[in-house]
Structure formats: structure tokens, C-alpha cells
Amino acid sequence: MNISKLAFTALLFGALMAFGCSSNGEGDGGNGGQAGTGGQAGNGGVGGMEPACNTSPQAPPALEDACTALSEPPSLANPPSCDTAGVDSVDHQLTMLVSVKDTNIGFNLDAKDTNSKVCSGGSNDGNACTLAEDCPDGACVFANASCIQGGLSSADGDNGVDNQVAGLLPVLAGIGSNLDNLDAALAAALCVDPEPTFDLVIRLAVSETGDCANAQLVLGGAVVQVCDTDSDNAGTVCSADGDCTNGACADLSVPMNFVSGCLSGTLPISVPISVPGETEPVPVLVDNFTIAATADQAAGFSGLFAGTVEGDSAVALAAVLNPAAVDIVGLTFDILQSLADEPSTPCDSISLVVDAGGVAAGGGGAGGG
């Protein structure tokens, strides 16, 4: 199906504006509900490839949703620490990723606040403001300039880019596409046979008080490491002490919320995901990686993963959907840039939410704390 660039741009702009609950980005959104967990994608091919899996991974357990049962939405702000000293950890092998088709998720993935403004420049630089006259020799701008001005808040979700990929479904339909190829690629990435291109284990230790947990990430069989707090480049992903200036390379352990069985929080690193492409794996780097999932140390986990994908990674992800979707992403970035709070703020990311699940695979040793 052919569509003129003008009509295509209008359709794309309309789809993006469907996220919004106000025209200027200043309205307070409510908290969106947790999306339900979908089933594992089937063994269909990706593009023109052969069927994805000879052997699919074990399906995640059917768990009662502990996150939606909470009186308030699960917090994505990590606790400062969690004492799990002497507690055995459990490995949860990721076995399911399926894209969510609903934009109304309720995550503020870019962690930007469009309700607070400050003076930029001049004698009142940094002071809170509401009107231009509050900053006589400067400008009154949003405290965190971002790409969410205008229509990029979920209709019933927190301010922020929540699940923009799903918002593009009407535009993808215009080129005869949907998210099936993405789901097939995600399923193929988790295959048991052939070997997975994305092998993720969440090594989880829950505190004896049961209100928090420490999580380690094991990618491709190796624990993710970062430069320790003594390093000048603390928090940077590393593989040896030589990667860290004036410090050491140590296993990453992320304190997370664990409330009534709901595990939630944000990972402090970008997570590399590799999905099968037509001829070779496609690397995709996911930022602002958030988790809100029911976790059972005896069974596994089930819930939502979310994040933002920038620049080249977004283009690579679009190519998995449909070669024509690369142009959609380019136009999306152009529109986001035109809606930015500050013209200098780069608007080159697209957000994605997936249903995720995994099985408890065994102990990983005593947790730290």
C-alpha cells in the first residue's frame, strides 16, 4: 500500500498525539493499570527466515499478578540498599518476551517531570518559576528538558514516554505491517535450539524481611560487572579492573523493591539485547530498563519489562519490524524533536514495553548486602 509523505506524516503525527492527555504536556496523568501477560510467541519465521526455534524455552509460570494488587503502582525508584547477607539467591531464566500493544502502561520511562519549571540563565537561574516574568533576564523552562512535550504522555499513565512502539501500530498498518515480526524476533532470541542470541538470567536474593531484593544480571553466562564506587567512572560496565579509573571492576548488584511479591525498579545500566535478523543478529541497546513483575523464588517471574531505544538501535529494531518502518522511526524522531521542550534536547529514542516471564532455574549462591 502506497501513501504520500504528507499523508503519512499526518497519520504519524496523529498516532503520536494519541498518547497525550493535554496539548502542552502540563497535565497530570493518573496511574495506568498493569498490562496482562501475553503468551509466548510461536515458531513463525522472522522476515524470510526459517522458523525461529527448533526447541522453545520453557513457558513461565502462571502467577497471580502481585503488582496490580498493590494499593499504589509499584515504585520504579530503587531503594538505596537491601540487606540480603547470607540469603541464597535464585536464578530466574528469561524465557518469554512479547510486545505489549497498549500505550497505556503508566511508566515514566525517561524520568522527566513536565510539571516543574525553573529559570534558565539570568539572575534567577535555577529558581522555581511558573511564568516568563519570574525570570526577567532568563527563560522559564521545564526542570528536565525532554522529548515528552505535547502528546507523549499516556492517556491514563504517568507523564513520560510509555510505550511508543504500540502507538505506532496505526502507522505500521498503513504499510501492511504490525508487531508480529518483532514478537517472532524476540521469541527467536530466546530459543534453546538454536542457541539463544539473548541469554538473560536475573539472579535474585530476597531479604529476610521480604520487602526488598538484590538482583544481579547474568548475560550470556557472565555476571554483569561495573566499576565500583571508588572509581572515577563508577557505574560504567566493565570486564576487568583496567577498565576502571582509580577503582575496581565488581559484580553489579541492584537493590530493588519487593512488595508482597511484586519486584520493581530500574536497572542503572543499558541492557544489550541481540535479536536474530535476516542474516545476522541485530544488536539493540535498551536504556531506562525498568521491571515490574510478580516474582516467586520457587517458580519464576511474570510481568513487564520496559525501556527506551535510541538512535541506531531504534533503526535496527525498526528494520526487524519492516524495512519501511525505518522511515517511520526517522519521521518519528523529527516530530519528537519539533515537540521538544528545548530545541537542543536530542529526541532520538523510542520506547517499548514487553510482557516478560521466566522460570526459576536454581540457586546462585549466597547474596550480598
Side-chain angles (χ1 to χ4, degrees):
M1 175 181 179
N2 295 322
I3 184 170
S4 72
K5 184 174 181 179
L6 180 61
F8 175 77
T9 303
L11 179 60
L12 178 58
F13 186 81
L16 290 174
M17 290 304 293
F19 284 86
C21 51
S22 66
S23 60
N24 60 8
E26 295 182 9
D28 279 326
N31 288 309
Q34 183 96 354
T37 300
Q40 174 71 48
N43 290 337
V46 182
M49 298 194 316
E50 293 297 315
C53 294
N54 296 323
T55 305
S56 296
Q58 182 179 345
L63 300 173
E64 186 174 347
D65 193 336
C67 295
T68 56
L70 299 178
S71 58
E72 296 182 354
S75 173
L76 301 180
N78 296 28
S81 63
C82 182
D83 183 5
T84 56
V87 177
D88 287 339
S89 60
V90 174
D91 285 355
H92 295 259
Q93 176 73 52
L94 177 69
T95 63
M96 185 192 79
L97 290 172
V98 180
S99 61
V100 173
K101 280 70 175 179
D102 181 10
T103 62
N104 182 20
I105 302 302
F107 290 152
N108 180 0
L109 294 180
D110 61 6
K112 302 300 186 182
D113 179 7
T114 56
N115 297 310
S116 299
K117 292 185 176 183
V118 295
C119 293
S120 176
S123 57
N124 291 337
D125 185 50
N127 292 346
C129 63
T130 55
L131 303 172
E133 48 263 38
D134 295 331
C135 313
D137 50 355
C140 184
V141 300
F142 291 107
N144 295 294
S146 72
C147 305
I148 61 177
Q149 173 79 330
L152 295 182
S153 293
S154 168
D156 295 314
D158 292 337
N159 284 336
V161 180
D162 287 337
N163 189 16
Q164 196 173 343
V165 165
L168 296 179
L169 278 170
V171 186
L172 293 173
I175 59 171
S177 186
N178 50 38
L179 297 183
D180 287 351
N181 269 7
L182 175 60
D183 286 339
L186 293 175
L190 302 177
C191 285
V192 175
D193 177 25
E195 291 186 356
T197 59
F198 182 48
D199 181 8
L200 172 66
V201 169
I202 299 176
R203 183 164 291 165
L204 194 65
V206 178
S207 69
E208 292 183 347
T209 56
D211 58 356
C212 66
N214 282 315
Q216 290 183 321
L217 300 183
V218 184
L219 282 171
V223 177
V224 173
Q225 296 184 307
V226 295
C227 295
D228 64 15
T229 54
D230 292 332
S231 305
D232 295 343
N233 54 339
T236 304
V237 175
C238 58
S239 57
D241 289 344
D243 298 328
C244 306
T245 307
N246 298 321
C249 187
D251 291 349
L252 172 66
S253 182
V254 184
M256 300 189 72
N257 306 290
F258 192 77
V259 181
S260 301
C262 176
L263 178 74
S264 67
T266 303
L267 302 183
I269 62 168
S270 299
V271 177
I273 296 177
S274 182
V275 297
E278 289 283 356
T279 58
E280 59 185 13
V282 177
V284 176
L285 198 62
V286 181
D287 302 313
N288 302 306
F289 198 110
T290 60
I291 297 173
T294 302
D296 184 319
Q297 291 288 69
F301 73 92
S302 179
L304 297 177
F305 287 176
T308 53
V309 182
E310 296 188 357
D312 292 342
S313 286
V315 171
L317 184 64
V320 170
L321 290 172
N322 186 310
V326 173
D327 293 332
I328 291 177
V329 169
L331 280 172
T332 298
F333 290 161
D334 289 344
I335 292 174
L336 296 185
Q337 190 67 61
S338 71
L339 295 172
D341 300 338
E342 298 271 349
S344 61
T345 302
C347 292
D348 60 350
S349 65
I350 191 167
S351 60
L352 173 68
V353 180
V354 295
D355 278 320
V359 295

